[in-house]
Amino acid sequence: MSDRPTDPQLAAAVEMIRRESRRRFLIRSGMGAAALALGPGFLAACGGGSSGGGSDGAAAGDGDSKLTISNWDAYIDEDADGNVSGSGTTIGDFKKDTGIKVTYNKDFNDNDEYFNKIYSPVLGKGKRIAADITVPTYWMAARLVGLDWLEELPLADIPNHKNMVESYVDQPWDQGAKFNMPWQAGISGIAWNPKLTGGDLSSINDLFDPKLKGKVTFLTEMRDSVGLTMFGQGNDPADASLETVNEALDKLKEETDNGQILKFTGNEYLRSLENGDVAACVAWSGDIAQLDPDLGIQFAIPDEGGMQWYDTMTVPKGAANVPAAAEWMNFVYDPENAARITEFVQYISPVKGVQEALEAKGGDAAALAKNTLIFPDEDTLSRVVTFGELSAEDEIEIQKRFNDITG
Amino acid sequence: MAGENSLRKGRRAPYGLLSPGMLWLILFFLVPMWTLLRIALSTKPNAFLPEYEFTWEWSNFSDAVSRFQPELVRSFSYAAAATILCIAIGYPLAYYLAFKAGKYRSVLLAMVMVPFFISFLIRTIAWQTILGQEGPALWFMETFRLVTITDAIGLTSSGAFLNTPQAVILGLTYNFVPFMILPIYVSLEKIDPGLISAGQDLYSAPRQAFRKIVLPLSLPGVFAGTLLTFIPSAGDYINAELLGNVKTSMIGSQISKLFLKESNYPEAAALSFIFMAIITIGVLVYAKLLGTDELSA
């Protein structure tokens, strides 16, 4: 069919590892659990594979004030050496402006993992966790608000709070965004390789076309896979009930049993899509925005609608330095600073004025400002929703069924 | 008097020598095991809160078995298949290394171990490229029109290599075969060549000499190699996740999901216990069959 793998492909594998660890990557999080279950032998076998997760640069500042941030990997701008706190970076400038010493940890790999390893065992016992700011996904933030494990933000000290895009301000679980300030957002839709599908896809139900049997992947992120399937059934994921979710799970089970869905993945779907092992899949907009356009991979929000998600800055209960956390949030909600982050991470920014700031920069930045995956238009935004809030019991039951389906 | 004194000291010395190991075992094996067992017999009234109630909840065990029976069976069958493949590949290789490699021995031995300098994860991801639709494995088979044959003998499934159970077993075999080669090599390498010459002097054919001398003396190596490959492959799930499909998941990923996704620590602990118990019983039976007294070698 094609050539033998060349070095660039091997390089791509290495790049993949780096990229995969960025977000929602199941393997890394799973490895911790496997190590728990299997003991040191397994850890030794995995060796260097998981070295990226640790602390990255507790760089010097002049003041005594300290701030610890736990964020996803590759989610903030870096200097040319890949250092997040180098000069000219957001963290570097923040330190220069405020004198606050930042410890920036890229140890937020997975919402559930962080919840079960850190939030629940520590905050649940009324103790303080190491981070002053953590960046869970919106539904996890909602859970934390419900459990009363977050500090209320001192909005008076965060004047840039007003720069928050309106749609994030009034969530049912946090009216007025008093407990959370979104960091970055993205859209889940469908992606396909036109060479293998032989045409464009427009509906989520196109993924269930028997022509694509065994060439389709979904995401292990329950809300993305189930939400899109609900859209395909004419239900609204923003208003999810146990009944409509179960209907979607029935569909996913059927399509998994009959071999239509090959597997459920984290970020590794990208590689399968690039390699032609997968023809079409549920995908994240930010990933597709970063792909080489020559590959011809297409992304669309299905006609029925798409899922929006966002990761949001929260201050865990009892955090050591709430004022510094507020200062940080204010700093990154300045459009200029937010634009620098957007330029690097290429997700959707929740801060008003980023597009204008990028246009003003000119060059590549101005080109980014035109990218509709990063700056979706009104029409697009009107078609995406976040997944409705679930009760704790429903959530556990749904997750259990979803796990049985995803294998 | 002095003699008696030193004798008494001598009696206590073994315990003194054992104590670091015992302490290690107690702290890092028995205490965690005890905690795990307690959690496995507890209930967690609120999934989101870190509180347990110890209630002798044996149903955690029965629930885990009934829900994850397919994964348990799959884990052990894949591990068994991979172990057999490891012996089939590892034994001849170790034999060659020990008896035939001559001056190339150290180079070849190093080649067995060199892949370990690369992370387990990267090596497994590399197999995605090798086995994928555009990879060399399928390229080769398509060029030589072998796909119908490989489909027929079950090496591929409808023309695909990647994302099949076969790929998972292959990944397990690849990742653990050095753990088979090295112990077998060590046991073969210790065999005195004089024994084989002696056998030949007594008119044994080379095949007989192998069967009656080399094979029995190398069995402890095979035994150790089997443990070192079977146990980690049964618990591994990276291979299943990266090279398999939705129907190839193994027990490790289920334990992880119970713990991390469903916040169901008790059932996760129960499942871990069941898994360990099956392995322990299996190992004991295997040791009985192969004779443990030779294991000390």
Side-chain angles (χ1 to χ4, degrees):
Chain A
M1 243 175 93
S2 165
D3 301 328
R4 316 286 295 259
T6 49
D7 272 351
Q9 271 176 297
L10 212 66
V14 176
E15 165 66 11
M16 188 66 213
I17 299 266
R18 199 190 68 77
R19 200 169 49 189
E20 268 167 337
S21 58
R22 186 176 75 233
R23 285 184 49 81
R24 301 162 188 257
F25 185 41
L26 199 90
I27 301 301
R28 167 89 60 81
S29 59
M31 250 183 358
L36 270 177
L38 302 169
F42 185 84
L43 269 182
C46 302
S50 61
S51 59
S55 125
D56 194 295
D62 295 320
D64 293 334
S65 192
K66 280 188 201 133
L67 177 68
T68 305
I69 301 172
S70 255
N71 205 345
W72 304 78
D73 194 14
Y75 222 23
I76 196 167
D77 54 305
E78 300 167 354
D79 67 10
D81 301 328
N83 187 349
V84 293
S85 53
S87 75
T89 61
T90 304
I91 295 175
D93 281 6
F94 175 72
K95 211 155 45 199
K96 217 160 54 185
D97 276 18
T98 62
I100 296 171
K101 206 169 160 178
V102 177
T103 305
Y104 184 85
N105 296 323
K106 304 171 181 177
D107 58 358
F108 205 106
N109 297 314
D110 180 289
N111 284 298
D112 291 303
E113 176 196 337
Y114 205 87
F115 182 84
N116 284 303
K117 286 186 182 167
I118 296 174
Y119 289 142
S120 176
V122 184
L123 289 178
K125 291 207 169 112
K127 291 185 214 147
R128 167 195 296 170
I129 72 172
D132 300 302
I133 295 179
T134 56
V135 192
T137 305
Y138 69 95
W139 55 267
M140 179 57 75
R143 184 192 291 180
L144 297 175
V145 170
L147 289 163
D148 193 24
W149 289 355
L150 295 180
E151 289 285 345
E152 191 168 341
L153 304 175
L155 293 188
D157 299 334
I158 313 175
N160 286 336
H161 191 274
K162 66 175 192 312
N163 293 338
M164 191 186 295
V165 171
E166 275 85 12
S167 57
Y168 302 104
V169 179
D170 281 320
Q171 294 292 323
W173 49 274
D174 187 8
Q175 293 285 338
K178 294 192 200 79
F179 291 92
N180 84 102
M181 285 180 80
W183 175 253
Q184 303 290 317
I187 293 173
S188 312
I190 50 176
W192 65 93
N193 182 343
K195 280 174 245 155
L196 296 172
T197 53
D200 282 344
L201 273 54
S202 59
S203 159
I204 183 69
N205 291 322
D206 289 345
L207 293 181
F208 303 127
D209 183 343
K211 209 173 63 188
L212 300 177
K213 187 175 176 198
K215 294 259 174 202
V216 176
T217 61
F218 273 62
L219 294 169
T220 45
E221 193 76 12
M222 186 274 285
R223 283 168 180 77
D224 292 330
S225 292
V226 170
L228 287 174
T229 310
M230 285 171 75
F231 266 131
Q233 295 174 318
N235 294 321
D236 183 6
D239 186 28
S241 68
L242 195 55
E243 195 184 331
T244 51
V245 170
N246 268 325
E247 203 182 313
L249 288 172
D250 288 342
K251 176 75 177 166
L252 287 175
K253 177 151 176 45
E254 179 196 326
E255 298 294 345
T256 305
D257 287 346
N258 70 20
Q260 177 76 16
I261 299 175
L262 178 67
K263 63 204 277 193
F264 289 77
T265 69
N267 272 83
E268 64 273 30
Y269 74 87
L270 266 185
R271 190 162 169 68
S272 311
L273 201 57
E274 286 172 331
N275 282 354
D277 290 310
V278 162
C281 62
V282 175
W284 288 307
S285 59
D287 288 337
I288 307 296
Q290 291 177 10
L291 278 186
D292 180 357
D294 292 344
L295 289 168
I297 304 291
Q298 302 293 311
F299 176 87
I301 297 164
D303 291 343
E304 299 92 339
M307 299 305 298
Q308 179 172 34
W309 52 263
Y310 57 94
D311 299 323
T312 186
M313 294 184 283
T314 56
V315 178
K317 199 102 198 170
N321 200 343
V322 181
E327 219 162 330
W328 168 262
M329 291 180 180
N330 194 49
F331 188 81
V332 295
Y333 262 63
D334 176 88
E336 295 290 330
N337 295 328
R340 180 167 43 197
I341 298 169
T342 303
E343 206 182 335
F344 190 87
V345 304
Q346 308 200 357
Y347 281 99
I348 299 168
S349 178
V351 181
K352 283 189 273 194
V354 167
Q355 194 165 17
E356 291 74 11
L358 284 175
E359 274 163 4
K361 274 190 174 181
D364 287 347
L368 270 189
K370 292 195 183 67
N371 188 328
T372 51
L373 288 176
I374 301 173
F375 296 100
D377 51 32
E378 284 302 313
D379 171 58
T380 308
L381 287 176
S382 70
R383 290 198 292 134
V384 297
V385 300
T386 54
F387 204 90
E389 219 182 327
L390 299 166
S391 72
E393 303 86 65
D394 286 356
E395 179 162 359
I396 293 288
E397 193 184 322
I398 291 166
Q399 190 68 54
K400 193 171 166 182
R401 252 202 99 190
F402 185 68
N403 288 350
D404 283 340
I405 294 167
T406 59
Chain B
M1 272 312 252
E4 218 179 286
N5 228 339
S6 69
L7 206 67
R8 209 170 282 153
K9 240 184 226 154
R11 261 189 230 129
R12 269 190 231 117
Y15 296 102
L17 288 170
L18 264 179
S19 61
M22 289 302 287
L23 202 68
W24 177 271
L25 212 60
I26 290 168
L27 269 180
F28 295 109
F29 182 75
L30 287 182
V31 172
M33 276 297 162
W34 172 247
T35 320
L36 196 66
L37 186 62
R38 268 191 75 89
I39 294 176
L41 292 170
S42 299
T43 46
K44 202 169 175 229
N46 183 333
F48 293 157
L49 298 180
E51 279 118 31
Y52 313 97
E53 278 164 25
F54 183 77
T55 51
W56 294 104
E57 193 71 32
W58 289 103
S59 66
N60 286 331
F61 284 84
S62 48
D63 287 352
V65 172
S66 58
R67 185 171 165 201
F68 297 109
Q69 203 180 2
E71 281 84 5
L72 280 168
V73 173
R74 198 180 290 141
S75 293
F76 290 117
S77 354
Y78 285 4
T83 307
I84 292 167
L85 280 174
C86 280
I87 297 177
I89 296 167
Y91 199 99
L93 223 148
Y95 187 87
Y96 183 84
L97 279 173
F99 295 121
K100 313 274 183 197
K103 61 177 174 175
Y104 298 110
R105 184 192 279 184
S106 46
V107 179
L108 292 172
L109 255 181
M111 281 171 69
V112 172
M113 285 179 284
V114 155
F116 280 92
F117 289 106
I118 304 168
S119 133
F120 180 79
L121 205 55
I122 295 188
R123 279 184 283 135
T124 310
I125 287 180
W127 278 101
Q128 288 187 321
T129 306
I130 298 171
L131 300 178
Q133 284 299 326
E134 303 193 353
L138 276 184
W139 170 84
F140 178 84
M141 289 192 298
E142 271 161 19
T143 308
F144 293 97
R145 308 264 180 273
L146 297 172
V147 178
T148 31
I149 303 171
T150 52
D151 261 1
I153 61 171
L155 197 59
T156 52
S157 301
S158 41
F161 230 144
L162 189 61
N163 301 318
T164 60
Q166 298 90 311
V168 178
I169 293 170
L170 185 134
L172 290 171
T173 309
Y174 163 77
N175 276 311
F176 295 108
V177 78
F179 295 109
M180 182 64 82
I181 297 173
L182 295 175
I184 298 181
Y185 167 76
V186 169
S187 62
L188 285 173
E189 207 258 337
K190 277 192 308 202
I191 297 175
D192 183 352
L195 288 175
I196 301 169
S197 312
Q200 279 161 354
D201 285 349
L202 297 168
Y203 300 105
S204 85
R207 190 179 297 177
Q208 256 181 323
F210 174 78
R211 200 163 52 83
K212 297 214 158 157
I213 302 166
V214 178
L215 190 63
L217 286 172
S218 64
L219 276 185
V222 176
F223 180 81
T226 305
L227 295 188
L228 288 176
T229 50
F230 183 80
I231 297 173
S233 359
D236 177 81
Y237 70 94
I238 303 296
N239 285 286
E241 213 116 275
L242 291 177
L243 306 176
N245 60 42
V246 73
K247 289 166 189 157
T248 61
S249 66
M250 292 167 75
I251 206 68
S253 58
Q254 303 306 321
I255 295 173
S256 142
K257 278 181 183 171
L258 275 174
F259 178 63
L260 295 176
K261 295 275 178 191
E262 295 174 27
S263 305
N264 192 346
Y265 302 6
E267 199 171 316
L271 189 56
S272 307
F273 246 96
I274 293 165
F275 180 67
M276 281 188 283
I278 296 175
I279 283 193
T280 311
I281 293 168
V283 166
L284 289 177
V285 170
Y286 185 65
K288 191 91 187 157
L289 291 178
L290 238 82
T292 33
D293 44 322
E294 273 161 0
L295 192 60
S296 54

